[in-house]
Amino acid sequence: MRTLIIAAAAAAAALGLGSCATMSAEQCLAGDWSGQGYSDGASGLTMSRLDEHAEACAKHGVTPDRTAYVAGRDQGLVRYCTPANGFRSGRTGSGYGGVCPSYLEADFMPAYRDGQMVYAAEQALANARSSVDSLGYRLEELDDKITAKQAEARAEGLTDAQRDEIRNRIQEIRRERADTERDWRRAQDAIDDAEREVRDVRWRFREAYGDW
């Protein structure tokens, strides 16, 4: 289950890495392609970002200096591809575009996966708490429905058939409430499990990455 959670978190995070950047006219005309490359590299962006810059700057009659951009980007990747940043990126659910050169990726990826484990544990806890809240609200709704139906059954002028129908409906709601309460208790247990997992992964990685 933990593997599935981490895989799902990684897939969702990767979607957030989509490239939709645009450079302003001022940035295009300034022509600081080395600086732009450094900024993009330090953010862990892929080379496809240069294509987007080219599209944005074409509107202003500017063509990127690819050589300067790549040189700056390479320097930016040195800043990005550190174990500390790998852990931070994984822990915050950020995607990784495979941008680190192999000599840096060897240390970056283990830290990134460690961060993903923390992220997955914290997301599981958040989901468990959300489930408890939702089921709790549902229990309140069902209690209100039961109260309303009981009042309806006491109304004057009802036939025996009508009262029986109301009583049957009350029993249906009570059965749903019992099922919901069982789900609520299981969700409470899931919170306890998730809290233990969060404590475990935080303790496990505290020495390597410090407090966060």
Side-chain angles (χ1 to χ4, degrees), residues 41-42 73-82 101 103-104:
R73 179 175 178 274
D74 288 345
Q75 294 178 14
L77 288 175
V78 172
R79 176 180 177 182
Y80 173 79
C81 301
T82 64
Y103 75 96
L104 294 175

Side-chain angles (χ1 to χ4, degrees), residues 108-175:
F108 176 90
M109 283 307 300
Y112 179 74
R113 294 190 185 100
D114 289 346
Q116 283 186 305
M117 290 184 64
V118 176
Y119 177 78
E122 292 177 341
Q123 287 298 110
L125 176 57
N127 291 339
R129 287 172 173 167
S130 177
S131 180
V132 164
D133 289 343
S134 296
L135 291 167
Y137 293 142
R138 182 57 180 163
L139 286 173
E140 292 177 0
E141 291 176 351
L142 293 172
D143 286 339
D144 290 343
K145 286 184 177 182
I146 291 172
T147 300
K149 282 296 181 182
Q150 288 173 334
E152 185 179 339
R154 293 192 296 269
E156 297 181 359
L158 296 177
T159 66
D160 289 342
Q162 288 173 324
R163 293 187 192 279
D164 286 342
E165 182 179 353
I166 294 172
R167 292 190 187 101
N168 289 336
R169 178 55 183 150
I170 289 174
Q171 291 305 312
E172 291 176 358
I173 299 172
R174 282 176 172 164
R175 284 193 291 271

